[in-house]
Amino acid sequence: MAETGARRVRGGGGSARRAERTAVSFETARFIERNIPNFEILNEEALSIIEWNAETVLEEIGVNFVENPTALLRWREAGADVQGERVRIPRGLARALCATAPGSFTQHARNPDRNVEIGGRGLVLAPVYGPPFVRDAEGGRRYATIADFRNFVKLGYMSKWLHHSGGTVCEPTDVPVNKRHLDMLLAHMTLSDKPFMGSVTEPSRAADSVAMAKVLFGDDFVDRNTVMTSLININSPLTFDGIMMGALEVYAQANQAAIVSPFIVGGAMAPVTVAGTLTQVLAECLAGVAYSQLVRKGAPVIMGAFVTSIDMNSGAPTFGTPEAAHITYGAGQLARRLGLPYRSGGAFCGSKLPDAQAAYESANSLNMALLAGVNFMLHACGWLEGGLVSSYEKFVMDADQLGCLHGLAKGVSVDANGQGMDAIREVGPGGHYLGCEHTQANFKSAFWRTDVLDYKPFETWEEEGARDTEALASARVKKMLADYQAPALDEGTREALADFVARRKSEMPDAFL
Amino acid sequence: MAETGARRVRGGGGSARRAERTAVSFETARFIERNIPNFEILNEEALSIIEWNAETVLEEIGVNFVENPTALLRWREAGADVQGERVRIPRGLARALCATAPGSFTQHARNPDRNVEIGGRGLVLAPVYGPPFVRDAEGGRRYATIADFRNFVKLGYMSKWLHHSGGTVCEPTDVPVNKRHLDMLLAHMTLSDKPFMGSVTEPSRAADSVAMAKVLFGDDFVDRNTVMTSLININSPLTFDGIMMGALEVYAQANQAAIVSPFIVGGAMAPVTVAGTLTQVLAECLAGVAYSQLVRKGAPVIMGAFVTSIDMNSGAPTFGTPEAAHITYGAGQLARRLGLPYRSGGAFCGSKLPDAQAAYESANSLNMALLAGVNFMLHACGWLEGGLVSSYEKFVMDADQLGCLHGLAKGVSVDANGQGMDAIREVGPGGHYLGCEHTQANFKSAFWRTDVLDYKPFETWEEEGARDTEALASARVKKMLADYQAPALDEGTREALADFVARRKSEMPDAFL
């Protein structure tokens, strides 16, 4: 089994070549490499204050590593003051430990054309993660199933502006909790050829994820390369629970990437002010990333910041708000000063429907994430209702908007063609440009084009049923799922993956908690 | 008549005082003063190239001043090469002429609390301008009437994040073309106390606007102060028509402000590339602003840039696209280097409905306009269907989002309260912040709050009718119009304005073309 895997598909035997010849390849854009500056909202003074305060938090208050004696041992050996489960980290130690984490790393996909570089000026886009519900225009809101999960993986595979297949695109609630990760990984590995995420809900499931990746890529390849990026949430404020840290340990030891990410509803899990929240975010990330380096020096890790604002009336998290933007911009600056890849942003919204509220909130969030210098954006499409729902329609609506981010990131060309002086000379006062040579030479690539939105004249649009965006998106979802064709995969690998899943399932009784 | 006017309302006689005591005052936010940086997409090299090329356009190709012998005379006297209607402007001349335009100016409102400063780090928000149609959830799409016009002025007056009453909030198509401006100005002057715009569709209508402003504010006050900011479009490419320039001349001579603004569908009225379009925009603005200073040195003027992208299949203008963002960012930098206030942005969209498409496109546009350093944003709320439609629901939806721009512009406080270290110390690992002292002291002002969007739990929202954003907005429109109360206005002034309108209407036969 160790010798099967994606690399073999390209160099492999007759059946692999046949599979490749017959497979339809769906176009996917290369991950974004920004040719525009970042938006720097904090000045040097503000950054210094927040960095000083974060070190004060680590030194004075400390963080808890819960039910994790090994972690306490590691911290003690590294020079921290450990009392009970509280770890106080001397000023400067965490930052020094973070220095061994790479500033950028490659996550490999089984189709090497879809490898992504996470860090630097890059931006990698991945879909929604975690919702227990799904919604579509016809079926309404309902518990997600493994059939939904597979549909979202297919939509992700076919979305040209999406670089990454993600992880828990929805919770397959019809599969036992202790076996879901197997079916989820199998879907990502077989229905898509984009990079994906591993399970984090138990250390043993992280180990299963690594084992399945070895089936897909080969043992040696996984030992030498990063093939998974997984989401390790911090229990804010300042708490690292044993299960999440257990998963982090599995991944770090296997040299697989982790996103170490506070999950904060502002005003509830962090101070109600922006600078206070940034201080806590930085303290938590410093401790978590440092810990990953105590497990394995050089393990790839991403500094994450998932921070929402809050509606102080109801306690509901709120999205696309100015305070969330301030934190996203500020945390990006802090990550860059730490030299770490940065995860934040997403097509966040609180709306229950893929309506105008959803789109305002999502567009606000997507735009700020691009300008904040985010390197890895989870939830880039499909997120609805505060993350409770994966929406079919919103998935394709958001995924279409991700094309705007690609266009924005390109920046402005001022080469001779970009300057267009010949066109201005040719057309002159009172003329028009549609027919001129420069326009003809450039029009195909000059403007971003939507695959969802409607630009037709009113009368045509009305004749065609006066469809709103949800209706247009619903039609696109159906067409994509109808047109879906699986990427080529070596038959031996496919069977080996199925065998692994079947064997692991047979080893455990079903558990639904 | 010259001595009546808004200033008298505060210092005036008994009836004015009684009117003031009984009037309800609706809260309006002060115009935005940014405490965040601008987003600078172009580097020095790109800016220099575009500035050099714009001067080349003016010198080599020139601009046309059509049916306007006085303008040609002014240009010849200023040192331009005038042949027929073509004006070629020697390198550096237009920029030198622009130097006498103020970098910032105050536009006075009849309620001095609502004066706005246009320029510098400021951002003034004004509603949609120009649509011949209106739409609401119940009545659908239909030709706009003066009753609609008055409704939009009322909504604008009551919108707390909107600083300006605007101009043609919709075209009152039931009023003769040659008399519309009178009814429109009367509505702005009496139904709102926010600053407003004058008519530009004929020089005589601009003169009427100045005359009515003198009735409202007093002759002396208008002579000494700017009380109107009006929209002067350039006929791109590179053409200044006699009617628009005639209106500009009236306003400049009266020391009233003009927005000199190319109106460009990219690829049709300007080169298909961003740098080419910016070159033409700059050339046109240099010529137009310079001309305003030839009419009256020191006249307040705003450099405008209304530029859309285009759907190359249908020729439809497109909004909220990356190319439009590039141009908005770049033109802001060019305006700042010229030392001029900058007009651009708006809640632009191509959608026919106030749906997700409308909101994505509008949010993209609003966010970029804030970061691009826009000083005056026309179309900040209510724009639908490429500007063909003023939407009641979208007006209040967009106006609500303008609150986000206010929040974003505030930037991040790092004073002791902002740092929140006491809160982090008080709560510690594993605690929660909702009840802590710092949260209690700050929660009322910590987060922007919507007046339209829904943050309720799914079950509550469903019980309340599962309303989408349009339905929520529709309810808000009805409530606002029901709650409307006119701002206090001196009875003598009100009568004098009505008399002026009646007299001018009686002097002309109706014209509908």
Side-chain angles (χ1 to χ4, degrees):
Chain A
M1 278 204 309
E3 299 192 345
T4 61
R7 312 296 295 184
R8 288 271 309 275
V9 173
R10 311 211 129 222
S15 71
R17 277 198 294 274
R18 272 192 301 281
E20 242 187 343
R21 273 198 302 275
T22 56
V24 172
S25 184
F26 294 95
E27 184 199 348
T28 288
R30 194 174 143 82
F31 61 92
I32 291 173
E33 292 182 275
R34 289 177 178 83
N35 196 28
I36 57 173
N38 296 316
F39 184 69
E40 313 273 353
I41 202 168
L42 301 176
N43 61 22
E44 178 62 35
E45 188 200 356
L47 289 163
S48 301
I49 289 172
I50 290 165
E51 287 175 340
W52 177 265
N53 285 350
E55 296 278 3
T56 304
V57 168
L58 293 177
E59 184 167 60
E60 259 187 40
I61 304 168
V63 297
N64 283 357
F65 275 76
V66 179
E67 294 176 5
N68 196 343
T70 315
L72 300 175
L73 193 64
R74 286 190 174 109
W75 274 117
R76 192 171 286 123
E77 282 174 3
D81 168 28
V82 178
Q83 300 187 14
E85 293 188 322
R86 183 72 59 96
V87 178
R88 290 187 177 80
I89 306 170
R91 188 174 297 277
L93 175 60
R95 186 169 285 265
L97 290 170
C98 288
T100 56
S104 181
F105 64 90
T106 303
Q107 181 183 349
H108 293 263
R110 72 175 171 94
N111 176 348
D113 292 342
R114 302 193 171 172
N115 292 355
V116 291
E117 187 70 22
I118 300 177
R121 306 288 303 143
L123 172 55
V124 173
L125 300 167
V128 61
Y129 186 106
F133 297 100
V134 297
R135 173 184 275 280
D136 65 16
E138 283 161 19
R141 185 184 191 260
R142 58 190 187 273
Y143 275 104
T145 64
I146 190 68
D148 291 311
F149 189 99
R150 290 178 187 133
N151 282 338
F152 280 107
V153 172
K154 290 175 183 179
L155 292 176
Y157 170 61
M158 295 174 79
S159 295
K160 74 176 164 193
W161 305 116
L162 200 67
H163 317 114
H164 202 283
S165 195
T168 310
V169 289
C170 61
E171 276 288 345
T173 59
D174 54 343
V175 179
V177 167
N178 60 338
K179 300 181 179 178
R180 281 179 195 169
H181 63 291
L182 300 165
D183 286 344
M184 293 196 278
L185 278 163
L186 189 65
H188 284 300
M189 289 176 173
T190 59
L191 302 178
S192 180
D193 62 3
K194 296 185 180 181
F196 55 85
M197 304 172 79
S199 175
V200 297
T201 51
E202 278 279 357
S204 67
R205 296 172 198 156
D208 281 343
S209 304
V210 174
M212 282 182 76
K214 288 185 173 179
V215 176
L216 182 65
F217 288 93
D219 280 14
D220 285 357
F221 193 83
V222 173
D223 286 342
R224 284 180 288 107
N225 296 287
T226 297
V227 300
M228 278 181 293
T229 297
S230 305
L231 178 61
I232 304 294
N233 280 326
I234 298 167
N235 261 12
S236 303
L238 303 171
T239 303
F240 296 78
D241 80 57
I243 288 174
M244 275 284 164
M245 287 302 107
L248 172 68
E249 289 156 14
V250 169
Y251 287 121
Q253 271 152 354
N255 208 29
Q256 299 305 306
I259 306 164
V260 174
S261 194
F263 177 98
I264 291 175
V265 177
M269 284 104 100
V272 76
T273 52
V274 169
T277 298
L278 284 171
T279 299
Q280 186 182 306
V281 164
L282 180 58
E284 292 174 345
C285 287
L286 280 167
V289 171
Y291 182 64
S292 76
Q293 302 303 300
L294 290 179
V295 175
R296 176 168 169 161
K297 240 181 227 183
V301 61
I302 300 174
M303 169 174 156
F306 178 97
V307 182
T308 81
S309 42
I310 189 171
D311 174 26
M312 278 295 187
N313 277 352
S314 63
T318 53
F319 302 90
T321 61
E323 298 77 26
H326 287 157
I327 290 165
T328 305
Y329 289 128
Q333 292 179 266
L334 296 168
R336 288 191 287 282
R337 283 160 71 104
L338 254 176
L340 291 174
Y342 174 45
R343 171 259 165 149
S344 196
F348 297 131
C349 65
S351 187
K352 286 82 180 170
L353 297 170
D355 60 0
Q357 173 175 347
Y360 281 125
E361 293 173 335
S362 296
N364 289 349
S365 299
L366 289 172
N367 281 292
M368 81 185 171
L370 177 72
L371 299 188
V374 167
N375 299 117
F376 187 85
M377 194 200 295
L378 200 55
H379 311 300
C381 60
W383 166 292
L384 196 68
E385 204 187 312
L388 284 174
V389 173
S390 293
S391 159
Y392 279 87
E393 284 83 11
K394 188 152 180 288
F395 194 100
V396 303
M397 287 156 54
D398 290 335
D400 187 59
Q401 285 292 303
L402 299 180
C404 286
L405 302 191
H406 281 76
L408 274 165
K410 276 198 287 189
V412 178
S413 165
V414 289
D415 63 11
N417 181 62
Q419 293 177 44
M421 285 296 281
D422 290 346
I424 302 177
R425 287 193 181 94
E426 181 185 336
V427 171
H432 60 83
Y433 285 85
L434 281 179
C436 87
E437 204 178 312
H438 182 254
T439 304
Q440 292 304 311
N442 286 283
F443 81 91
K444 278 186 188 158
S445 60
F447 299 110
W448 168 74
R449 291 194 56 197
T450 180
D451 289 315
V452 175
L453 307 181
D454 184 283
Y455 296 153
K456 294 184 182 127
F458 176 78
E459 292 72 17
T460 315
W461 168 81
E462 201 174 37
E463 278 164 23
E464 290 180 4
R467 291 180 294 177
D468 68 4
T469 320
E470 186 182 15
L472 294 167
S474 179
R476 183 165 166 81
V477 167
K478 284 180 196 146
K479 176 161 171 41
M480 286 172 79
L481 292 178
D483 289 350
Y484 172 80
Q485 294 191 42
L489 179 62
D490 175 82
E491 266 313 310
T493 305
R494 184 187 305 276
E495 282 163 27
L497 288 168
D499 289 350
F500 182 95
V501 169
R503 179 173 59 77
R504 286 293 289 139
K505 282 187 172 180
S506 73
E507 290 169 0
M508 303 176 273
D510 290 356
F512 270 95
L513 270 185
Chain B
M1 279 206 308
E3 298 191 344
T4 62
R7 312 296 293 184
R8 288 271 309 275
V9 174
R10 311 214 129 218
S15 70
R17 278 199 294 273
R18 273 192 301 282
E20 243 188 343
R21 276 199 300 275
T22 57
V24 172
S25 184
F26 294 97
E27 183 199 348
T28 288
R30 194 174 143 79
F31 61 91
I32 291 173
E33 291 182 275
R34 291 178 177 82
N35 196 26
I36 57 173
N38 296 314
F39 183 69
E40 313 273 353
I41 202 168
L42 302 176
N43 60 21
E44 179 61 36
E45 188 200 358
L47 289 163
S48 301
I49 289 172
I50 291 165
E51 287 175 339
W52 177 266
N53 285 349
E55 297 278 2
T56 303
V57 168
L58 292 177
E59 184 168 61
E60 259 186 40
I61 304 167
V63 297
N64 283 357
F65 275 76
V66 179
E67 296 177 1
N68 196 342
T70 315
L72 299 175
L73 193 64
R74 285 189 174 110
W75 275 116
R76 190 172 287 122
E77 282 173 2
D81 168 28
V82 178
Q83 300 188 13
E85 293 188 322
R86 184 70 60 96
V87 178
R88 291 187 177 81
I89 306 169
R91 186 173 298 277
L93 174 60
R95 185 168 286 264
L97 290 170
C98 288
T100 56
S104 180
F105 64 90
T106 303
Q107 181 183 350
H108 293 263
R110 70 175 172 95
N111 176 349
D113 292 343
R114 301 191 173 175
N115 291 356
V116 291
E117 187 71 21
I118 301 177
R121 305 288 305 145
L123 171 56
V124 173
L125 300 167
V128 61
Y129 186 106
F133 298 101
V134 297
R135 171 183 277 280
D136 65 16
E138 283 161 19
R141 184 185 192 260
R142 58 190 187 272
Y143 275 104
T145 64
I146 189 69
D148 291 310
F149 189 99
R150 290 178 186 133
N151 282 338
F152 280 107
V153 172
K154 291 175 182 178
L155 292 175
Y157 170 61
M158 297 175 78
S159 296
K160 74 176 164 193
W161 305 115
L162 200 67
H163 316 114
H164 203 281
S165 196
T168 310
V169 289
C170 61
E171 275 287 344
T173 60
D174 54 343
V175 179
V177 168
N178 61 335
K179 300 179 178 179
R180 280 178 196 169
H181 64 291
L182 299 164
D183 286 344
M184 293 195 278
L185 279 162
L186 189 66
H188 283 299
M189 290 175 174
T190 60
L191 302 177
S192 179
D193 63 3
K194 296 185 180 181
F196 54 85
M197 305 172 78
S199 174
V200 297
T201 51
E202 278 279 356
S204 67
R205 295 171 198 156
D208 281 343
S209 305
V210 173
M212 283 182 74
K214 289 184 172 179
V215 175
L216 182 65
F217 288 92
D219 279 14
D220 286 356
F221 192 82
V222 173
D223 287 343
R224 284 180 287 106
N225 295 286
T226 297
V227 301
M228 279 181 292
T229 297
S230 305
L231 178 61
I232 304 295
N233 280 325
I234 298 166
N235 260 12
S236 301
L238 303 172
T239 304
F240 296 79
D241 80 56
I243 289 173
M244 275 284 164
M245 288 303 107
L248 171 67
E249 289 156 15
V250 169
Y251 286 121
Q253 271 152 356
N255 208 28
Q256 299 304 306
I259 307 163
V260 174
S261 195
F263 177 98
I264 291 174
V265 177
M269 284 105 98
V272 76
T273 53
V274 169
T277 298
L278 285 171
T279 300
Q280 185 182 307
V281 164
L282 180 58
E284 292 174 345
C285 287
L286 281 167
V289 171
Y291 182 66
S292 76
Q293 302 302 300
L294 291 179
V295 175
R296 176 167 168 163
K297 241 182 226 181
V301 61
I302 299 173
M303 171 174 154
F306 177 98
V307 183
T308 81
S309 43
I310 188 171
D311 173 28
M312 278 295 186
N313 277 354
S314 63
T318 53
F319 302 90
T321 61
E323 298 77 26
H326 287 157
I327 290 165
T328 305
Y329 288 127
Q333 293 180 266
L334 296 168
R336 288 191 287 283
R337 283 159 70 104
L338 255 176
L340 291 174
Y342 174 44
R343 170 261 163 144
S344 196
F348 296 131
C349 65
S351 186
K352 285 85 182 167
L353 297 170
D355 60 0
Q357 174 175 350
Y360 281 124
E361 293 173 333
S362 296
N364 289 348
S365 299
L366 290 172
N367 281 292
M368 83 186 169
L370 176 72
L371 300 188
V374 166
N375 300 116
F376 187 85
M377 195 200 294
L378 201 55
H379 312 300
C381 60
W383 167 291
L384 196 68
E385 203 188 312
L388 284 174
V389 173
S390 293
S391 159
Y392 278 87
E393 285 81 13
K394 188 153 181 286
F395 195 100
V396 304
M397 288 156 55
D398 291 335
D400 187 60
Q401 286 290 305
L402 299 180
C404 287
L405 303 191
H406 281 78
L408 273 166
K410 277 198 286 189
V412 178
S413 165
V414 289
D415 63 11
N417 182 62
Q419 292 177 43
M421 285 296 282
D422 290 346
I424 301 178
R425 286 194 180 93
E426 180 184 337
V427 171
H432 60 84
Y433 285 85
L434 281 179
C436 87
E437 204 178 313
H438 182 255
T439 305
Q440 292 304 312
N442 286 282
F443 81 91
K444 278 186 187 158
S445 61
F447 299 109
W448 168 73
R449 290 194 56 197
T450 180
D451 290 314
V452 175
L453 306 182
D454 184 282
Y455 296 152
K456 295 184 180 125
F458 176 78
E459 292 72 18
T460 316
W461 168 82
E462 201 173 37
E463 277 164 23
E464 291 179 3
R467 290 179 295 176
D468 68 4
T469 320
E470 186 181 16
L472 294 167
S474 179
R476 183 165 167 80
V477 167
K478 283 179 198 147
K479 174 158 173 44
M480 287 173 79
L481 291 179
D483 289 350
Y484 172 80
Q485 294 191 43
L489 179 62
D490 174 80
E491 266 313 309
T493 304
R494 184 188 304 277
E495 282 163 27
L497 288 168
D499 289 350
F500 182 94
V501 168
R503 179 173 59 78
R504 286 292 289 139
K505 281 187 171 178
S506 73
E507 290 168 359
M508 302 176 276
D510 291 357
F512 270 97
L513 268 184

